[in-house]
Amino acid sequence: MRSSSHVSGTTCRLHVSDEVRALAPGFGYLTVEAHGLANGPSDEAGAALLDEATRRLAERLDGRAPQDDPHIAAWRAAYTAFGSKPSRTRNSAEALARRALADGGLPRINRLVDLYNALSVAHLVPVGGEDLDRIQGDMRLVRAVGDEPFVTAADGAGTVEHPDAGEVVWCDDEGVTCRRWNWRQGVRTRLTEDSVSALFLLERMAPMTLDELTAAGAELAGWLRQACPDARIEIGDVQAP
């Protein structure tokens, strides 16, 4: 038995394996799908959102380190459960939060990536963005066998790695799209300045509530509509045990 979600009119189904559900029963996710996007280089609007997200993060943490937030602590526990060391391979929300609070601040990548990075920092929730035109078939959250291909970059050149056996990964019909749940995205499906269709994935662990996850998804959809007024945006239903 596998859990799945699908929004009417969308092009990609998501499935979560029973093994992952058993590993982290507090897991849940929400998708925001967008078509007709107009991406491009980072701009002032995105920079303002990143700066405001950093302010919201600092207010939420109130002097604490990101790993001391209950939501990040829950993600760390999930990483430990599948054999990853959460202080070495941090979930994407914690990694971004640490960068936001450091002297250099958050990176500027492109308009769409800046939007979902800002959302991740503002809500302290892992958010990923996939180019739907590069996804092959459905997306699945599974525990890896260990021989699945993962295309990444090393020293500026493309290279193929493989996940550890038992590692939690997102994958499609062609291979792994994101390693260690939401630690590192592959280059094959990442959003570039040429991307016009995207799937944004917001991932939650209890104690983040489903209402909080829904609010985060709605805020992202609102930002996308402001940035790309002609785009078609669809918010999926919250998927949780």
Side-chain angles (χ1 to χ4, degrees):
M1 185 72 181
R2 292 175 183 266
S3 174
S4 66
S5 72
H6 182 59
V7 180
S8 177
T10 61
T11 56
C12 180
R13 291 180 184 269
L14 276 65
H15 309 268
V16 179
S17 71
D18 289 341
E19 294 81 3
V20 173
R21 291 289 186 189
L23 183 75
F27 174 64
Y29 66 90
L30 175 70
T31 58
V32 177
E33 186 163 331
H35 296 270
L37 294 166
N39 200 9
S42 298
D43 57 19
E44 292 183 3
L49 285 177
L50 288 167
D51 289 343
E52 173 62 13
T54 299
R55 186 199 64 77
R56 290 167 64 178
L57 172 69
E59 184 178 272
R60 170 177 177 148
L61 292 176
D62 192 24
R64 295 175 299 163
Q67 65 265 26
D68 294 329
D69 183 271
H71 191 219
I72 296 302
W75 273 107
R76 282 183 160 234
Y79 269 47
T80 300
F82 69 80
S84 182
K85 295 181 179 180
S87 293
R88 188 177 65 183
T89 54
R90 296 180 175 89
N91 72 83
S92 63
E94 181 182 349
L96 274 177
R98 288 170 62 89
R99 293 193 69 170
L101 298 173
D103 290 341
L106 288 165
R108 273 57 169 168
I109 309 298
N110 60 54
R111 292 179 72 206
L112 293 178
V113 175
D114 291 351
L115 284 184
Y116 80 74
N117 279 349
L119 194 286
S120 176
V121 170
H123 291 267
L124 208 53
V125 59
V127 184
E130 304 285 353
D131 188 323
L132 275 172
D133 293 327
R134 297 179 178 274
I135 293 291
Q136 303 298 314
D138 294 341
M139 291 181 61
R140 300 174 297 280
L141 186 65
V142 300
R143 302 199 71 173
V145 174
D147 60 359
E148 300 91 340
F150 175 71
V151 181
T152 187
D155 299 323
T159 185
V160 176
E161 299 177 351
H162 302 280
D164 298 327
E167 180 182 324
V168 175
V169 297
W170 280 103
C171 59
D172 64 2
D173 291 349
E174 193 168 317
V176 174
T177 58
C178 194
R179 285 196 59 188
R180 294 196 174 100
W181 213 316
N182 47 41
W183 166 64
R184 177 179 292 171
Q185 184 183 31
V187 299
R188 174 171 59 88
T189 61
R190 67 186 177 185
L191 294 174
T192 69
E193 291 184 16
D194 297 325
S195 298
V196 295
S197 297
L199 180 74
F200 300 94
L201 177 63
L202 289 67
E203 298 181 285
R204 155 266 193 193
M205 289 286 176
M208 184 179 190
T209 69
L210 301 183
D211 285 345
E212 289 171 334
L213 183 62
T214 299
E219 185 165 18
L220 177 59
W223 290 354
L224 289 167
R225 292 187 181 103
Q226 289 180 337
C228 306
D230 296 328
R232 175 169 60 88
I233 314 295
E234 298 185 66
I235 304 175
D237 296 329
V238 170
Q239 300 295 315

